Amino acid sequence: MTLQQRLGIELPIIQAPMAGAQGHALAAAVCNAGGLGSLPCAMLTAEGLQAELAALTSATQRPFNVNFFCHKSPEPDAAREAGWRQALAPFYREFGVDAQAIPPGAGRAPFSDAMADVLEPFRPAVVSFHFGLPSDALLARVKSWGSKVMCSATTVEEALWLEARGVDILIAQGLEAGGHRGHFLSMDLTRQSGTFALLPQMVQAVSIPVVAAGGIADAQGIRAAMTLGALGAQLGTAYLLCPESLISDLHRAALHRAASQGPEASHTALTNLFTGRPARGIVNRVMRELGPLNDAVPAFPLATTAIGPLRAAVEKQGSGDFTPLWCGQNPSGCRAIPAGELTHQLGADLNA
């Protein structure tokens, strides 16, 4: 059975959910063009989720995916927080940020019963998870709606773990992918593989469908993934320049440079500086000066609080030097055209 038959879509294309970078408009455009649009929910409140779902179901009658994080909320660590703020102190002074006025807090919450209460009346075709799975009870509740469950896997071990717990479709997330790594069984980045090394091993190891993600930007990449056994591909970075995306003008400009100006402009790295968890973005000043991966950073998602005001202050000066410029290793597919048009073009090229 094809991915299209399993999900009720026309193209073997899933738009990656990108929290903070998009909302319902991008997802609906992809759905209406025949792909599987995805709504990122990790940064939404229950009220925000209700509003986004209402807008999405008003904009499309096609199947869609909703995506949630499944991290464990960490206990605040005052000593580590103090160390992180000390590392940022020179930048606070340079840009006039009052560190004493920054409250503690976190901007991302894991999937919960409260979010499931909002989600249940909509019974989405697909519910996907990043950083593992929710509790058995929550997972069973999602499956009781008839929703297909997808989850990111970054190693064969994670794929087998997810298969054993009833996941319907795996997202094989290669090291090239932009945004947060989905790893959850091990935090050791040396265990992470590129998409086209990971994919055939995962396909061979499991009996459930696999979709490839990471570094895929065009129909040629989708075909290559399907040749290696994937039923389709998930694309994220390629959609970031679409007018429906919600990224800032600074992020947009960085992506334009990355797509058109060669290796230096498109240099990305995994960094934990912005959230506390490794995520791939375009290298900027804070990544160069603190190192992209820094042991002083608090656990995900607590790191965001201290760097957020610094980001805001520097962005007011027209700079993205302290902004998470999420981007995969292959920005060549980024085009400033409507998301529906991009999806149609990918489909036409795929079928040519």
Side-chain angles (χ1 to χ4, degrees):
M1 188 184 295
T2 66
L3 186 68
Q4 297 92 305
Q5 291 168 328
R6 291 173 187 272
L7 301 182
I9 56 180
E10 297 170 14
L11 300 169
I13 296 171
I14 298 173
Q15 164 251 314
M18 298 175 285
Q22 55 130 148
H24 70 272
L26 180 57
V30 174
C31 291
N32 289 334
L36 184 71
S38 301
L39 180 68
C41 305
M43 297 175 69
L44 298 177
T45 62
E47 294 77 15
L49 176 61
Q50 175 73 42
E52 282 290 280
L53 287 168
L56 180 55
T57 51
S58 294
T60 186
Q61 303 305 308
R62 306 280 184 95
F64 58 85
N65 166 39
V66 290
N67 177 261
F68 295 89
F69 287 175
C70 289
H71 58 285
K72 284 188 176 181
S73 295
E75 291 294 327
D77 183 330
R80 196 165 179 185
E81 179 69 24
W84 177 220
R85 295 191 183 207
Q86 183 61 36
L88 294 174
F91 304 123
Y92 289 152
R93 290 192 293 270
E94 179 180 350
F95 294 102
V97 174
D98 181 5
Q100 301 304 313
I102 303 172
R108 295 166 177 83
F111 188 56
S112 64
D113 284 302
M115 298 302 261
D117 289 343
V118 176
L119 193 57
E120 185 165 3
F122 294 90
R123 296 179 179 265
V126 182
V127 180
S128 65
F129 298 107
H130 212 47
F131 313 144
L133 293 172
S135 68
D136 291 346
L138 267 176
L139 186 63
R141 184 176 176 187
V142 169
K143 291 177 80 72
S144 76
W145 307 334
S147 301
K148 292 281 194 297
V149 173
M150 294 197 306
C151 190
S152 301
T154 69
T155 63
V156 171
E157 291 79 10
E158 289 177 349
L160 291 167
W161 189 94
L162 294 169
E163 181 182 36
R165 284 156 181 79
V167 167
D168 297 295
I169 298 171
L170 297 169
I171 303 293
Q173 189 195 33
L175 197 58
E176 304 93 329
H180 285 97
R181 304 297 305 146
H183 57 265
F184 58 93
L185 289 185
S186 170
M187 298 298 108
D188 183 356
L189 288 176
T190 67
R191 294 181 177 275
Q192 301 290 291
S193 303
T195 304
F196 291 105
L198 174 66
L199 178 60
Q201 297 180 74
M202 194 177 292
V203 169
Q204 184 176 15
V206 300
S207 58
I208 57 177
V210 179
V211 170
I216 301 173
D218 52 24
Q220 187 175 10
I222 298 170
R223 277 196 297 270
M226 295 178 76
T227 298
L228 290 176
L231 288 195
Q234 178 172 279
L235 286 71
T237 301
Y239 283 101
L240 283 176
L241 284 184
C242 295
E244 296 92 342
S245 90
L246 302 177
I247 61 173
S248 67
D249 289 341
L250 289 167
H251 195 169
R252 219 170 272 276
L255 285 167
H256 272 294
R257 291 191 296 271
S260 62
Q261 294 183 14
E264 189 59 33
S266 62
H267 179 200
T268 67
L270 292 177
T271 180
N272 65 347
L273 299 181
F274 299 107
T275 68
R277 191 177 177 104
R280 184 172 297 282
I282 296 171
V283 174
N284 56 11
R285 177 184 168 186
V286 70
M287 291 164 70
R288 286 190 294 269
E289 295 191 13
L290 292 183
L293 297 169
N294 190 305
D295 290 339
V297 178
F300 178 90
L302 301 177
T304 306
T305 305
I307 202 169
L310 185 59
R311 168 188 175 177
V314 178
E315 284 182 349
K316 285 180 181 177
Q317 299 185 14
S319 170
D321 276 339
F322 293 80
T323 299
L325 304 170
W326 303 139
C327 177
Q329 284 187 327
N330 182 9
S332 65
C334 287
R335 301 183 63 193
I337 60 175
E341 183 179 339
L342 177 57
T343 305
H344 280 305
Q345 289 190 3
L346 288 167
D349 291 346
L350 193 58
N351 294 324

